[in-house]
Amino acid sequence: MGSVPKLIREFLTINQTSFVELGCLIIDAIDFDASRASEKIVVASGVSSKIDSMRKLFEGLDATLDKASVDMEAIAQVPVFAVYWPQLGFLSSIEISYFEGETEAEPQLEGWVLKFQTDKQRYYKNCITNALDKSPGDVFSLINGK
Protein backbone atom coordinates (compact mmCIF):
# COMPACT_ATOMS: atom_id res chain seq x y z
CA MET A 1 0.00 0.00 0.00
CA GLY A 2 3.05 2.25 -0.10
CA SER A 3 2.15 3.75 -3.51
CA VAL A 4 -1.51 4.46 -2.61
CA PRO A 5 -2.07 8.14 -1.77
CA LYS A 6 -2.84 8.93 1.86
CA LEU A 7 -6.39 10.12 1.08
CA ILE A 8 -7.24 6.80 -0.61
CA ARG A 9 -5.73 4.81 2.29
CA GLU A 10 -7.88 6.75 4.76
CA PHE A 11 -10.95 6.23 2.59
CA LEU A 12 -10.34 2.48 2.54
CA THR A 13 -10.14 2.33 6.34
CA ILE A 14 -13.46 4.13 6.93
CA ASN A 15 -16.62 2.14 7.52
CA GLN A 16 -18.13 1.69 4.04
CA THR A 17 -21.65 1.54 5.50
CA SER A 18 -21.38 5.25 6.31
CA PHE A 19 -20.69 6.02 2.65
CA VAL A 20 -23.64 3.92 1.51
CA GLU A 21 -25.90 5.76 3.98
CA LEU A 22 -24.54 9.11 2.81
CA GLY A 23 -25.12 8.10 -0.82
CA CYS A 24 -28.72 7.16 -0.04
CA LEU A 25 -29.29 10.52 1.65
CA ILE A 26 -27.92 12.35 -1.39
CA ILE A 27 -30.02 10.28 -3.79
CA ASP A 28 -33.16 11.02 -1.75
CA ALA A 29 -32.40 14.75 -1.43
CA ILE A 30 -31.54 15.64 -5.03
CA ASP A 31 -33.85 15.67 -8.03
CA PHE A 32 -31.29 14.50 -10.57
CA ASP A 33 -33.51 14.96 -13.65
CA ALA A 34 -34.40 18.55 -12.72
CA SER A 35 -30.77 19.21 -11.77
CA ARG A 36 -29.58 18.00 -15.14
CA ALA A 37 -32.18 20.10 -16.97
CA SER A 38 -31.44 23.29 -15.02
CA GLU A 39 -27.70 22.67 -14.80
CA LYS A 40 -27.74 23.29 -11.03
CA ILE A 41 -28.56 21.18 -8.02
CA VAL A 42 -32.31 20.96 -7.41
CA VAL A 43 -33.60 19.80 -4.04
CA ALA A 44 -36.20 17.04 -4.43
CA SER A 45 -39.80 17.64 -3.34
CA GLY A 46 -40.52 16.58 0.21
CA VAL A 47 -37.02 17.29 1.50
CA SER A 48 -37.72 20.86 2.66
CA SER A 49 -41.21 22.09 3.45
CA LYS A 50 -39.97 25.68 3.07
CA ILE A 51 -38.65 25.07 -0.46
CA ASP A 52 -41.81 23.12 -1.32
CA SER A 53 -44.02 26.03 -0.21
CA MET A 54 -41.92 28.50 -2.24
CA ARG A 55 -42.24 26.23 -5.29
CA LYS A 56 -46.00 26.19 -4.79
CA LEU A 57 -46.03 30.00 -4.70
CA PHE A 58 -43.91 30.11 -7.87
CA GLU A 59 -46.24 27.66 -9.63
CA GLY A 60 -49.20 29.90 -8.71
CA LEU A 61 -47.52 33.01 -10.04
CA ASP A 62 -49.57 33.12 -13.26
CA ALA A 63 -52.82 33.45 -11.30
CA THR A 64 -51.25 36.13 -9.09
CA LEU A 65 -50.06 38.06 -12.15
CA ASP A 66 -53.46 37.75 -13.87
CA LYS A 67 -55.26 39.18 -10.83
CA ALA A 68 -52.74 42.00 -10.48
CA SER A 69 -53.15 42.83 -14.19
CA VAL A 70 -56.92 43.17 -13.80
CA ASP A 71 -56.51 45.35 -10.70
CA MET A 72 -53.97 47.63 -12.41
CA GLU A 73 -56.05 47.94 -15.60
CA ALA A 74 -58.90 49.29 -13.49
CA ILE A 75 -56.58 52.03 -12.27
CA ALA A 76 -54.75 52.82 -15.52
CA GLN A 77 -57.75 52.48 -17.87
CA VAL A 78 -55.48 50.83 -20.47
CA PRO A 79 -54.32 47.22 -20.85
CA VAL A 80 -51.69 46.47 -18.21
CA PHE A 81 -49.68 43.31 -17.80
CA ALA A 82 -48.22 42.40 -14.46
CA VAL A 83 -44.81 40.82 -14.96
CA TYR A 84 -42.33 39.19 -12.65
CA TRP A 85 -38.60 39.20 -13.24
CA PRO A 86 -36.26 37.55 -10.75
CA GLN A 87 -34.21 40.15 -8.87
CA LEU A 88 -36.28 43.02 -10.34
CA GLY A 89 -39.50 41.82 -8.76
CA PHE A 90 -43.00 42.64 -9.91
CA LEU A 91 -43.64 45.38 -12.45
CA SER A 92 -46.58 46.69 -14.43
CA SER A 93 -46.06 46.80 -18.17
CA ILE A 94 -47.95 49.12 -20.53
CA GLU A 95 -47.42 49.37 -24.28
CA ILE A 96 -45.98 52.76 -25.23
CA SER A 97 -48.52 53.02 -28.05
CA TYR A 98 -51.25 53.71 -25.47
CA PHE A 99 -49.58 57.02 -24.66
CA GLU A 100 -49.01 58.28 -28.18
CA GLY A 101 -50.21 61.82 -28.49
CA GLU A 102 -49.67 62.57 -24.81
CA THR A 103 -48.36 66.07 -24.41
CA GLU A 104 -46.27 65.14 -21.39
CA ALA A 105 -43.37 62.72 -21.52
CA GLU A 106 -44.86 60.71 -18.67
CA PRO A 107 -48.50 59.62 -18.44
CA GLN A 108 -50.22 60.77 -15.28
CA LEU A 109 -50.72 57.62 -13.25
CA GLU A 110 -50.67 58.70 -9.64
CA GLY A 111 -48.28 56.59 -7.58
CA TRP A 112 -46.86 54.83 -10.64
CA VAL A 113 -43.11 55.25 -10.99
CA LEU A 114 -41.50 54.55 -14.35
CA LYS A 115 -38.54 52.23 -13.79
CA PHE A 116 -37.44 51.68 -17.39
CA GLN A 117 -38.74 51.26 -20.90
CA THR A 118 -38.03 49.40 -24.10
CA ASP A 119 -38.98 50.41 -27.62
CA LYS A 120 -42.48 49.05 -27.03
CA GLN A 121 -43.14 48.84 -23.29
CA ARG A 122 -42.95 51.00 -20.17
CA TYR A 123 -42.37 49.25 -16.85
CA TYR A 124 -43.67 50.77 -13.63
CA LYS A 125 -43.72 50.17 -9.91
CA ASN A 126 -46.92 51.04 -8.06
CA CYS A 127 -48.74 50.12 -4.84
CA ILE A 128 -49.84 46.76 -6.28
CA THR A 129 -46.39 45.73 -7.53
CA ASN A 130 -44.80 46.97 -4.31
CA ALA A 131 -47.19 44.79 -2.30
CA LEU A 132 -46.31 41.78 -4.47
CA ASP A 133 -42.61 42.51 -3.93
CA LYS A 134 -43.27 42.08 -0.20
CA SER A 135 -45.51 39.03 -0.53
CA PRO A 136 -44.87 36.65 -2.22
CA GLY A 137 -41.58 38.45 -2.90
CA ASP A 138 -38.77 37.35 -5.19
CA VAL A 139 -39.77 33.69 -5.10
CA PHE A 140 -37.46 32.47 -7.86
CA SER A 141 -34.39 34.02 -6.25
CA LEU A 142 -35.41 32.68 -2.83
CA ILE A 143 -35.78 29.15 -4.21
CA ASN A 144 -32.45 29.32 -6.02
CA GLY A 145 -30.75 30.68 -2.93
CA LYS A 146 -31.70 27.62 -0.86
Side-chain angles (χ1 to χ4, degrees):
M1 261 212 199
S3 65
V4 177
K6 181 180 177 188
L7 179 64
I8 301 295
R9 274 189 306 235
E10 288 178 18
F11 175 77
L12 293 172
T13 63
I14 296 175
N15 181 346
Q16 299 300 309
T17 304
S18 298
F19 284 104
V20 171
E21 290 170 357
L22 178 61
C24 289
L25 289 172
I26 291 170
I27 288 169
D28 290 342
I30 297 175
D31 182 334
F32 288 97
D33 292 334
S35 296
R36 200 172 298 110
S38 68
E39 297 181 350
K40 36 183 139 166
I41 295 174
V42 176
V43 176
S45 295
V47 172
S48 167
S49 60
K50 188 171 185 175
I51 292 174
D52 288 347
S53 67
M54 284 190 276
R55 276 192 191 122
K56 190 173 183 176
L57 279 172
F58 189 74
E59 290 166 1
L61 220 45
D62 284 342
T64 300
L65 292 172
D66 289 345
K67 182 184 179 329
S69 295
V70 169
D71 294 346
M72 290 186 288
E73 281 183 12
I75 296 167
Q77 299 298 306
V78 296
V80 178
F81 296 97
V83 295
Y84 166 73
W85 284 338
Q87 298 180 348
L88 292 178
F90 293 87
L91 297 155
S92 54
S93 172
I94 301 175
E95 285 185 35
I96 288 177
S97 64
Y98 287 104
F99 301 109
E100 289 176 355
E102 292 280 331
T103 56
E104 298 177 15
E106 190 66 30
Q108 296 303 308
L109 296 169
E110 189 175 331
W112 291 46
V113 178
L114 178 67
K115 291 300 181 177
F116 63 93
Q117 70 182 45
T118 64
D119 291 342
K120 297 182 180 185
Q121 298 288 126
R122 287 184 176 169
Y123 295 90
Y124 298 86
K125 287 286 191 181
N126 56 50
C127 62
I128 295 171
T129 58
N130 290 336
L132 291 171
D133 283 340
K134 291 178 184 164
S135 178
D138 193 358
V139 178
F140 184 80
S141 294
L142 290 171
I143 290 171
N144 282 311
K146 297 293 172 194

